[in-house]
């Protein structure tokens, strides 16, 4: 249980009870009011979209939206991006501390030994149309993993949870690359355990059996950083979907499939794909003003994709690192005058000066620049959210595991009912 504050919240209902509600304090961020007693006083809280609701206690990631701060187990994302790797960050998110050299080597070698998928899973792909969206494939195939791993489905068993974590972290890049290879009619590439996590992913994506594939180390480092920048983000929609699914005792593969499904939406992880579509639709810097005007028009559903965030009311710290990575990748690839990057940078400047965006504190988020890097690397737009899912898998697992490592109840929100009162079926 979190630390109880000396302060209490006193709720006085007119012509009704006065209810004293305990306040709990975190180590950082907002304190919380425990509203558990409201039910016995015939009230529920009402908070559609959970804008003001803390659904759980967690020690994995902290976000300060006003200051643009993102900490993973206390370490700022900027420092992890500069000094760490994706797999070391995976270890940190799951176990809570940075690994020793020996722990890091053991963790990495265990992940590498789980990169292959069951040979029968390869036939799953044949059931999809070639033009199936890779997220549709990933949703299906990850959920189906529970049909193959009966030895790691006992969610109350810490060892089962750990082996499932290794399998999911290790196999997501393999399944992602298989989704891509299937869509272009090329043979699946078996993982190579002599390559690191990001190098192996690029090899499975762009290698083929007919010729040697040399991984570009700058591109591999950028890919590793992209996975890291997507690793975890507190109680976002997809992580909350994983926690809610896990609260019923569902197996880890089903929970991660639920997270993939929730991530797919354009308001969430699907935004990176939508950003590219938007930049391509804008097409030229001269069209930017009209798109910004549409984004500000209440009667137009168009929103500036890659801008805004439920929590960040300042720059998303991941967007800053992503922007630097975009410059590095484009320079490495000799892309000196990328029209989409030019439009993106101009759009950012215009939006950040426009009173509408300033007043509503709408800043570029993690999805704004990631698509530009992925496109430059040669990853098709339809695979962008798959990249997000590969990186976020460790965050989903860390939160799922944190929930199972403590006592928890099945998630079961209530509602404000505004439908018909009871009425009889007509005679
Ligand atoms: C991710 O939760 C997470 O942590 C998510 C994520 C993670 O790592 O898991 O960070 C990843 O999902 C990043 C967000 C990617 N989505 C997009 O880029 C899509 C475009 N952004 C918007 O759809 C929106 O900003 C959201 C969905 C991200 C946030 O929505 P909120 O918090 O519900 O904000 P809101 O809809 O209440 O917006 C506040 C106001 C509204 O205007 P008013 O009703 O107050 O007049 O700002 C406006 C909105 O209309 N607004 C925008 C806008 N985003 C918000 N107007 C134009 N363009 C935008 N992008």
């Amino acid at each position: 249980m979190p630390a109880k504050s000396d302060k209490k919240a006193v709720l006085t209902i007119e012509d009704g009870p006065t209810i004293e509600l305990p306040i709990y304090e975190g180590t950082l961020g907002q304190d919380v009011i425990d509203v558990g007693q409201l039910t016995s006083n015939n009230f529920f809280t009402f908070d559609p979209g959970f804008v003001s609701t803390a659904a759980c206690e967690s020690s994995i990631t902290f976000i300060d939206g006003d200051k643009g701060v993102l900490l993973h187990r206390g370490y700022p994302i900027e420092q992890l991006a500069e000094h760490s790797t994706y797999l070391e960050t995976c270890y940190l998110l799951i176990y809570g501390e940075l690994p020793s050299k020996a722990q890091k080597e053991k963790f990495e070698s265990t992940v590498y030994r789980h990169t292959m998928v069951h040979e029968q899973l390869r036939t799953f792909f044949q059931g999809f149309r070639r033009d199936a969206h890779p997220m549709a494939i990933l949703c299906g195939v990850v959920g189906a993993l529970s049909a193959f791993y009966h030895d790691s489905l006992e969610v109350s068993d810490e060892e089962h949870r750990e082996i499932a974590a290794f399998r999911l972290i290790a196999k997501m890049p393999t399944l992602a690359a298989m989704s891509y290879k299937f869509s272009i009619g090329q043979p699946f590439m078996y993982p190579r355990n002599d390559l690191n996590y990001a190098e192996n992913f690029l090899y499975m994506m762009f290698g083929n059996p007919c010729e040697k594939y040399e991984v570009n180390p700058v591109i591999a480092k950028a890919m590793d950083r992209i996975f890291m920048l997507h690793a975890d983000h507190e109680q976002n929609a997809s992580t909350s979907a994983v926690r809610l699914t896990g609260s019923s005792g569902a197996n880890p593969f089903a929970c991660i499939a639920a997270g993939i499904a929730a991530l797919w939406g354009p308001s969430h992880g699907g935004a990176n794909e939508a950003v590219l579509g938007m930049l391509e639709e804008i097409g030229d810097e001269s069209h930017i003003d009209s798109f910004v005007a549409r984004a500000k028009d209440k009667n137009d559903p168009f929103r500036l994709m890659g801008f805004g965030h439920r929590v960040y009311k300042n720059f998303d710290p991941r967007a800053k690192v992503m922007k630097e990575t975009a410059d590095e990748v484009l320079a490495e690839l000799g892309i000196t005058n990328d029209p989409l990057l030019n439009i993106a940078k101009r759009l950012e400047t215009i939006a950040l000066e426009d009173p509408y965006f300033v007043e509503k504190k709408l800043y570029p988020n993690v999805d704004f620049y990631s698509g530009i890097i992925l496109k430059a690397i040669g990853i098709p737009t339809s695979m962008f959210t798959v990249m997000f899912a590969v990186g976020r898998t460790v965050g989903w697992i860390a939160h799922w595991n944190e929930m199972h490592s403590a006592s928890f109840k099945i998630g079961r929100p209530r509602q404000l009912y505004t439908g018909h009162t009871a009425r009889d079926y007509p005679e």
Side-chain angles (χ1 to χ4, degrees), residues 233 236-237 266-269 271 295 298 302-310 313 316 318 356-357 360 362 365-367 388 392:
H233 214 241
N236 58 85
S267 289
H268 189 15
K298 292 302 289 175
F302 173 77
R303 284 191 165 176
L304 225 46
M305 303 316 281
F307 276 82
H309 198 278
R310 170 61 56 77
K313 302 310 172 189
D316 180 336
R318 301 168 296 174
Y356 173 92
F357 289 84
K360 293 184 186 296
L362 302 175
N365 58 49
V366 67
D367 293 303
F388 197 140
R392 185 52 56 86

